[in-house]
Amino acid sequence: MASEDITKLAESLAKAQVGGGQLSFKGKSLKLNTAEDAKEVSKEIEEFDGLEALRLEGNTVGVEAAKVIAKALEKKAELKRCHWSDMFTGRLRSEIPFALTALGEALITAGSQLVELDLSDNAFGPDGVRGFEALLKSPACFTLQELKLNNCGMGIGGGKILAAALKECHWKSSAVGKPLALKVFVAGRNRLENDGATALAEAFGLIETLEEVHMPQNGINHPGITALAQAFAANPLLRVINLNDNTFTEKGAVAMAETLKTLRQVEVINFGDCLVRSKGAIAIAEAVKEGLPKLKELNLSFCEIKRDAALTIAEATEDKCELEKLDLNGNALGEEGCEQLQEILEGFNMADVLGSLSDDEGEDEEDEDDEGEDEEDEDDEGEDEEEEQQQLQERGQGEQESLPSKKILDSHDSTPVSSPPPVDVATFLAFPSPEKLLRLGPKCSVLIAQQTDMSDTEKVVTALLKISSVFKDETTVKTAVHETTDALMRKAFTSATFNSDAFITSLLIHMGLLKSEEKIKAVPSLYGPLMTLNHMVQQDYFPKSLAPVLLAFVTKPNRALDSCSFARHMLLQTLHQL
C-alpha cells in the first residue's frame, strides 16, 4: 500500500465512530484487499475494550484482510451485533464465502453470543450462505434475535441451506435449555421462490418466537405463501408481515387470511403488489373484521382488487382504532369506487388513514372480473403441468413441449379438456410472462425479431425490456430469454438502419439510469434487464464500444441498482473483464 493510501486510511480511521460499545467504520469506503491493508482496522478492534457492536458497512473486504480482522475478533467475547451489510463491493463472488468463514470462525472461537447479524446487500449467492452456515449452527448464534439477509441473491439453494442451519441451531440450543428465540427475519430480494420459502417456513414453524418477517420480492407463489401462512400461525408474537411483490392469488390469500384470524399482535401487513385479487381481498377483509385488534397498517396496493372487494376491506376496518394507514392504491376501483371508499372511512371518522389513490386503474367491466379469475385458474393449471413436465424430463421420459397434461392422461375423465389459449407475439409483448414466452414455442426468438421494426430504436428497446422482464434462473426460462434476446439484438446490431448510440441512450432512460426531458416511466425492476445484459454483452454481436458507456452508468449510485446488487455485481464483473 502506498504511503498516501496509508495516510488516507489513517485519517478515515480517526473519524471512526465510537460510543456505547460500538466501533463503526460505516461508509468509509475502505478498500481492504491485503493483510497489510487491514492492519489499522485490526488494531482499532483489538484496542477497543468492551466491543459490543462492529459496523463494517460500505467498505470492501478481501479474503486476506478478512483473516486479519478475524484474528482481532477472536478475543472479543462481548461482541453482540455485527452490522456487516454491503462490505464486499466489487469482490468476486468466489471470494466472499472464504471471508465470511474466517469472520464466523473468529466469533465462534471468541465465544461471542450474537444478538444481531446483518449481512444484507452482499451479493454472495448460495455459496455465500455456506460461508456463515457453521456460525449459524454454533453456540455463538443460540442467542440470535435479528437475522438480516436482504438482497443477497441466495436463491432456492441458499434458502434451503439457511433453513437447515436455522433448524439445527434451534435443535442444538434447545438441547442446552436455551432454544433459539429469533425475533426479526429479513430476506427480501433473494429469489427464494416456492422451494426456498417452504424450507424456511419449516424453520419458522420450529422457532415460534418471530415478531417481524420481511420477505418481499422473492418470486413466491401460492404454494410457498401457503407454507409461510402455516408457519406464521405457530408464531403468535408476529407484529410485522412484509411479503410485498410476491404472487398470492386467491389460494395464497385465503390461506394467509386464515392465519391472520389467529394472530392477535399483528400491527403491519404489507401485501402490496401481491396479486391478491378480489376474492383474496375479501378473505383478508374477513380476517381484519374478526381479529387483528392492534392493526396499524394494511397495504393491499396494486393487487388487482375491484371496487366491491375494496369497499368490503374498508368496512372491515370500522373498529380498528389503532389503524394509521390503509393503502389500496393501484387497484381497479374507478372514480365512483374511490369516492365510496372515502365516504365509508369518513363515516368511521378515519378518512385520514386512507393513502393516495392516484394510481387507481379505473373500474373494469363486470365480465372482466370473471376473466381475471379464469386466468388465475389457467395459471394454476400451468404451474401443475410445468412441475409434472419437469419431473418427467428429469427421468428422461419425454420432452417438455410434447408432454400431455395430467387431465389428458386420465382416461377416466370424459370431460373435454381445453388447451391453454394460443399466444402470439403481440399478446406476449402486451402482457409478458415466462409462461407466455415458453408457449410461443421453439420459434419464439425468430418470431419476435421478425415482428420488430429494427429502424425504430424505441421499439427494439421496448421489445428487449419486455423479454428481459420475464427472466428467471429456471433453466428453460433463462434459455428462452437468452435465445430471444440474441435473435433480436443480433438482427438489430447488424441492421444498416439501426442506431447503436440511440439504442443505448434509450435503454438507459427506460432503465431509470439516465434522465430524459420527456416523462418516461422506468421499468419496475432491473433484475431481469441486468441479468439479460450480462449475457448480451458477452456475445459477438454486441458492440464493444458500448461497454464503457454501460459500465459508467451501472457504476453510478442508484436506488434501483442498489435493490438488485447481485445482478449489478454480475454485470459489472463481466464488463470489467471485456
Side-chain angles (χ1 to χ4, degrees), residues 116-135:
E116 179 179 0
L117 177 62
D118 186 356
L119 293 170
S120 299
D121 300 317
N122 290 310
F124 47 60
D127 293 338
V129 184
R130 293 284 188 199
F132 60 92
E133 178 185 16
L135 173 64

Side-chain angles (χ1 to χ4, degrees), residues 161-190:
I161 297 167
L162 175 63
L166 287 172
K167 287 193 287 186
E168 187 167 332
C169 180
H170 185 269
W171 294 330
K172 287 181 175 178
S173 57
S174 297
V176 295
K178 296 180 180 179
L180 173 67
L182 191 67
K183 294 180 179 180
V184 178
F185 180 83
V186 181
R189 297 170 181 159
N190 270 292

Side-chain angles (χ1 to χ4, degrees), residues 123-344:
F124 47 60
D127 293 338
V129 184
R130 293 284 188 199
F132 60 92
E133 178 185 16
L135 173 64
L136 283 179
K137 295 177 179 179
S138 75
C141 285
F142 288 0
T143 51
L144 195 64
Q145 295 180 15
E146 300 182 30
L147 179 59
K148 300 175 182 178
L149 299 166
N150 200 55
N151 195 30
C152 294
M154 290 189 292
I156 295 172
K160 289 182 176 180
I161 297 167
L162 175 63
L166 287 172
K167 287 193 287 186
E168 187 167 332
C169 180
H170 185 269
W171 294 330
K172 287 181 175 178
S173 57
S174 297
V176 295
K178 296 180 180 179
L180 173 67
L182 191 67
K183 294 180 179 180
V184 178
F185 180 83
V186 181
R189 297 170 181 159
N190 270 292
R191 300 174 292 116
L192 294 169
E193 301 185 20
N194 288 334
D195 288 349
T198 300
L200 285 165
E202 291 180 12
F204 298 163
L206 283 175
I207 291 170
E208 298 183 341
T209 55
L210 288 168
E211 296 180 13
E212 295 185 26
V213 175
H214 302 264
M215 296 175 65
Q217 295 183 21
N218 269 298
I220 308 170
N221 298 326
H222 70 79
I225 297 298
T226 300
L228 287 172
Q230 292 168 351
F232 292 165
N235 288 265
L237 301 178
L238 266 175
R239 293 184 298 102
V240 179
I241 305 175
N242 177 7
L243 296 175
N244 186 283
D245 199 7
N246 289 291
T247 306
F248 281 45
T249 65
E250 180 190 343
K251 290 182 180 179
V254 169
M256 190 61 69
E258 288 302 308
T259 286
L260 291 175
K261 291 176 183 178
T262 69
L263 298 175
R264 310 296 295 174
Q265 304 300 319
V266 173
E267 298 176 3
V268 177
I269 297 173
N270 186 346
F271 297 159
D273 203 13
C274 281
L275 204 64
V276 166
R277 291 185 173 149
S278 295
K279 289 184 179 179
I282 291 171
I284 291 172
E286 185 180 338
V288 171
K289 187 173 183 178
E290 292 183 14
L292 302 172
K294 297 184 178 181
L295 187 64
K296 293 181 178 179
E297 294 184 22
L298 176 60
N299 183 350
L300 291 172
S301 60
F302 299 93
C303 280
E304 294 191 5
I305 300 171
K306 306 294 169 51
R307 179 184 62 183
D308 290 347
L311 298 181
T312 302
I313 293 167
E315 290 166 352
T317 65
E318 181 176 4
D319 63 346
K320 304 304 164 192
C321 56
E322 295 189 33
L323 190 67
E324 298 172 358
K325 183 177 181 181
L326 174 62
D327 192 346
L328 290 169
N329 198 17
N331 288 299
L333 282 65
E335 185 176 346
E336 184 180 346
C338 291
E339 291 175 358
Q340 289 176 324
L341 186 66
Q342 291 167 334
E343 288 173 3
I344 290 172

Side-chain angles (χ1 to χ4, degrees), residues 3 42 94 115 124 137 141 159 210 233 237 251 298 322 354 414 419 515 520:
S3 59
S42 176
S94 57
V115 172
F124 47 60
K137 295 177 179 179
C141 285
L210 288 168
L237 301 178
K251 290 182 180 179
L298 176 60
E322 295 189 33
L354 183 62
S414 60
S419 301
K515 290 184 178 179
I520 295 178

Side-chain angles (χ1 to χ4, degrees), residues 73-92:
L73 290 174
E74 288 180 357
K75 298 178 182 178
K76 299 299 175 182
E78 305 94 342
L79 185 61
K80 292 180 174 62
R81 298 184 182 274
C82 298
H83 301 281
W84 294 351
S85 63
D86 189 22
M87 59 179 276
F88 296 112
T89 304
R91 297 289 166 189
L92 294 175

Side-chain angles (χ1 to χ4, degrees), residues 479-500:
T479 301
V481 169
H482 286 173
E483 290 178 352
T484 310
T485 298
D486 289 342
L488 175 72
M489 298 315 302
R490 187 182 298 278
K491 185 176 180 182
F493 284 124
T494 55
S495 171
T497 58
F498 187 69
N499 188 326
S500 298

Side-chain angles (χ1 to χ4, degrees), residues 310-452:
L311 298 181
T312 302
I313 293 167
E315 290 166 352
T317 65
E318 181 176 4
D319 63 346
K320 304 304 164 192
C321 56
E322 295 189 33
L323 190 67
E324 298 172 358
K325 183 177 181 181
L326 174 62
D327 192 346
L328 290 169
N329 198 17
N331 288 299
L333 282 65
E335 185 176 346
E336 184 180 346
C338 291
E339 291 175 358
Q340 289 176 324
L341 186 66
Q342 291 167 334
E343 288 173 3
I344 290 172
L345 292 171
E346 285 173 0
F348 300 156
N349 197 26
M350 295 169 64
D352 57 334
V353 307
L354 183 62
S356 169
L357 297 172
S358 59
D359 292 319
D360 186 72
E361 296 290 337
E363 188 172 11
D364 290 343
E365 297 294 331
E366 289 298 320
D367 59 344
E368 288 184 9
D369 191 10
D370 295 334
E371 289 176 11
E373 301 301 335
D374 290 341
E375 286 175 10
E376 179 181 329
D377 292 338
E378 288 172 8
D379 288 345
D380 291 342
E381 285 184 18
E383 288 174 14
D384 293 338
E385 291 179 13
E386 194 173 326
E387 290 173 6
E388 179 182 313
Q389 290 164 358
Q390 186 175 358
Q391 290 170 2
L392 288 177
Q393 197 171 31
E394 289 172 354
R395 296 173 192 162
Q397 295 182 10
E399 293 181 353
Q400 183 168 336
E401 60 268 22
S402 63
L403 185 69
S405 72
K406 188 182 295 182
K407 289 185 179 179
I408 294 173
L409 288 173
D410 188 355
S411 59
H412 298 291
D413 188 356
S414 60
T415 306
V417 180
S418 60
S419 301
V423 175
D424 56 21
V425 171
T427 302
F428 167 74
L429 292 177
F431 303 101
S433 72
E435 294 75 19
K436 287 176 186 170
L437 181 62
L438 294 176
R439 275 162 53 195
L440 279 172
K443 293 184 178 180
C444 64
S445 56
V446 177
L447 291 172
I448 292 177
Q450 285 176 344
Q451 297 185 37
T452 303

